[in-house]
Amino acid sequence: MKLNYLITTTLALMSCQLVQAAEVKYMLWDSNQLPAYQQCATDFQAKNPDISIKITQAGWNDYWTAISTGFVSGTAPDVFTNHLAKYPEFAKSEQLVDLAPLITRDKVANDQYEAGLYEVWGRDGKQYGLPKDWDTIAFIVNMDIAKQAGVSLEELQNMEWNPKDGGSFEQVIRKLTLDEAGNNASSDKFDKSKVKVYGFQTPGGGGMMGQTEWSYFAVSNGFKFHDKVWDNKYYYDDPKLVETISYLASLPDKGISAPYEQTKSLGPDAMFVGGKAAMIPQGSWMISYFKDNAKFPTAWVPLPKGPNGQRATMFNGLADSIWVGSKVQEEAWKWVKYLGSADCQAVVAAKGVVFPAIKGMAEKAMETQKAAGVDSSAFIVMSKEKTFLAPIADNGSQVDDLMKISLESIFIGKVDPATALKEANTKINALGQ
């Protein structure tokens, strides 16, 4: 009897060792999304006991440093959240697994995702990621300040702008701007040297994409980054972009937006939460942040219409990619496939942090947000307006660096926009030759 027990126990231990779970390391940068994906990992492991998911989260800058150095040192995660501004270089340096054969083998339906989200992660028949979510840009407004200024929600939802006088957009932000004596920027008594609340805070430069900073203003003014995806010829010297950047750079001189140096040190999000800025632009991924941190009534409103009569927003979509150096690629693919499935994305929608990529899930996320007291419909409105993709081409990090330098020099008043943008564009286009 005792011998049988020992044999049974030994066999059980050997069996456990034989089926030891393969570990898939997964990395993401958004702490707000971590709980949703931890739940997805728990659910996935219950269905796949032979696979263990280990999730690591790091802030934006540290995240990309870890990914890049990991490629070199051989310590990169097996699967990671990828960004449209980053993946072209990763693909070019052959750091990403081509998912196309796996997608075909397992009959993964690419038409389950919102239009364009799948295709943008492919090139020359190869596929470098499965869509996980999408985002657009809107303005968030301190409604206490708006109410005190006599600015209605309807006015905020129907603003128009132009690079000459700012249109109704500038009229609104002048009303929202207050000096220490309580005068708004529409008053002759307004003292721009003693501003208590800035009506609008532009986030600053923004590099090659200008996603939350200037892209939506510029595109609604007639600007385009390049002719098509993967085209290495840019138009950063376009007079329409020059006009747009010139206008945004003029706002601090009017006292209705903080100087670039102040924005760079404090950050527009902290300024808004601290009551120093009445309205700022942000992405849909920040809905939960402001719900948790703004201690006053807020409203998300669509971006203003531009001179062409349209609103415009970057339509950005993240995806999950597999590192080519992974030793558990088959298990990593199972995890990526699950991340891109309705089962996981329904969990993400239920958390209401972001809008999942699968059709119909964004509306579920919006319902979750509404139940929490947040009307996020402005982002859905923007998704049905003029949308455009982030500039996707080779040499992205170099393009981004050149644009950051150029835009910072403009916003600190070191050089005029036309000169700076022309010089940057010449250097950028030379990279693709």
Side-chain angles (χ1 to χ4, degrees):
M1 188 76 173
K2 186 174 182 182
L3 180 60
N4 288 339
Y5 172 77
L6 289 172
I7 292 172
T8 302
T9 304
T10 302
L11 289 172
L13 289 171
M14 290 174 63
S15 176
C16 289
Q17 290 173 351
L18 288 172
V19 297
Q20 185 175 8
E23 184 179 80
V24 174
K25 295 176 181 177
Y26 178 54
M27 196 169 188
L28 49 78
W29 67 74
D30 189 351
S31 60
N32 290 323
Q33 296 185 52
L34 183 58
Y37 287 106
Q38 191 61 66
Q39 182 61 55
C40 284
T42 299
D43 297 342
F44 174 80
Q45 290 168 156
K47 297 177 181 179
N48 300 273
D50 59 329
I51 303 175
S52 172
I53 306 299
K54 181 181 180 181
I55 302 179
T56 304
Q57 180 269 327
W60 176 264
N61 291 326
D62 291 338
Y63 179 85
W64 293 111
T65 299
I67 297 295
S68 298
T69 57
F71 289 159
V72 176
S73 64
T75 58
D78 303 292
V79 179
F80 63 98
T81 300
N82 211 341
H83 195 281
L84 289 175
K86 302 289 185 178
Y87 103 84
E89 286 189 65
F90 296 160
K92 185 178 181 180
S93 59
E94 299 183 339
Q95 294 293 341
L96 306 179
V97 171
D98 174 18
L99 305 180
L102 299 169
I103 291 168
T104 300
R105 184 194 74 186
D106 294 352
K107 298 179 173 60
V108 176
N110 56 40
D111 60 355
Q112 65 181 312
Y113 304 110
E114 294 287 352
L117 294 182
Y118 177 85
E119 292 77 7
V120 76
W121 285 93
R123 185 180 191 183
D124 299 331
K126 295 183 178 181
Q127 188 70 21
Y128 296 107
L130 275 189
K132 63 193 287 99
D133 58 42
W134 61 264
D135 55 70
T136 56
I137 308 301
F139 288 162
I140 187 169
V141 186
N142 182 324
M143 292 307 291
D144 273 349
I145 294 174
K147 185 177 180 180
Q148 293 166 12
V151 176
S152 69
L153 181 59
E154 184 178 4
E155 284 180 89
L156 292 164
Q157 292 171 332
N158 292 282
M159 292 184 290
E160 298 178 353
W161 91 280
N162 67 72
K164 307 302 180 187
D165 61 16
S168 62
F169 164 72
E170 182 166 325
Q171 292 172 17
V172 165
I173 62 175
R174 283 182 174 277
K175 292 178 183 178
L176 298 177
T177 301
L178 292 173
D179 65 15
E180 293 176 359
N183 302 304
N184 71 33
S186 297
S187 169
D188 293 337
K189 298 179 181 179
F190 175 68
D191 186 349
K192 68 178 184 179
S193 68
K194 297 179 180 179
V195 178
K196 182 179 180 181
V197 179
Y198 294 99
F200 176 78
Q201 192 52 55
T202 178
M208 68 182 289
M209 292 173 59
Q211 184 178 11
T212 61
E213 295 85 2
W214 51 263
S215 62
Y216 46 92
F217 283 116
V219 173
S220 70
N221 191 36
F223 167 74
K224 65 178 179 179
F225 290 91
H226 47 191
D227 291 322
K228 59 179 188 264
V229 172
W230 298 110
D231 192 334
N232 289 314
K233 181 181 179 182
Y234 290 88
Y235 298 112
Y236 288 120
D237 59 349
D238 185 339
K240 295 296 183 182
L241 179 59
V242 173
E243 280 186 336
T244 301
I245 299 301
S246 297
Y247 174 73
L248 294 174
S250 75
L251 299 183
D253 288 338
K254 300 173 183 177
I256 54 182
S257 192
Y260 175 77
E261 294 84 354
Q262 185 175 342
T263 313
K264 189 176 181 179
S265 63
L266 296 176
D269 299 339
M271 291 178 67
F272 181 79
V273 169
K276 300 297 183 182
M279 179 167 64
I280 63 169
Q282 250 306 355
S284 49
W285 61 89
M286 291 292 284
I287 292 171
S288 294
Y289 170 83
F290 290 111
K291 177 180 70 68
D292 295 339
N293 290 281
K295 306 305 179 185
F296 44 80
T298 63
W300 289 100
V301 300
L303 302 173
K305 293 179 180 179
N308 63 9
Q310 288 183 301
R311 297 183 176 97
T313 181
M314 190 172 288
F315 188 70
N316 189 39
L318 303 181
D320 289 302
S321 298
I322 300 175
W323 175 42
V324 74
S326 170
K327 301 296 190 293
V328 288
Q329 288 190 23
E330 188 61 37
E331 291 85 355
W333 163 242
K334 286 184 179 179
W335 173 234
V336 167
K337 188 166 57 171
Y338 187 75
L339 288 167
S341 72
D343 286 344
C344 178
Q345 296 200 11
V347 170
V348 175
K351 295 290 185 181
V353 178
V354 292
F355 297 127
I358 290 178
K359 294 174 182 175
M361 291 292 182
E363 287 74 16
K364 292 182 179 180
M366 190 170 69
E367 289 172 9
T368 300
Q369 293 155 359
K370 187 174 182 179
V374 179
D375 180 359
S376 59
S377 59
F379 294 104
I380 305 295
V381 169
M382 291 308 306
S383 73
K384 301 181 187 307
E385 295 280 345
K386 178 180 175 60
T387 61
F388 56 92
L389 296 173
I392 303 170
D394 298 319
N395 307 304
S397 61
Q398 293 167 281
V399 174
D400 194 48
D401 287 343
L402 287 167
M403 283 301 292
K404 282 179 179 175
I405 293 169
S406 177
L407 290 163
E408 180 163 312
S409 70
I410 293 169
F411 280 102
I412 63 175
K414 187 177 179 180
V415 66
D416 72 279
T419 300
L421 291 171
K422 184 176 180 179
E423 290 178 355
N425 197 64
T426 299
K427 293 176 182 177
I428 287 168
N429 285 339
L431 295 172
Q433 294 178 359

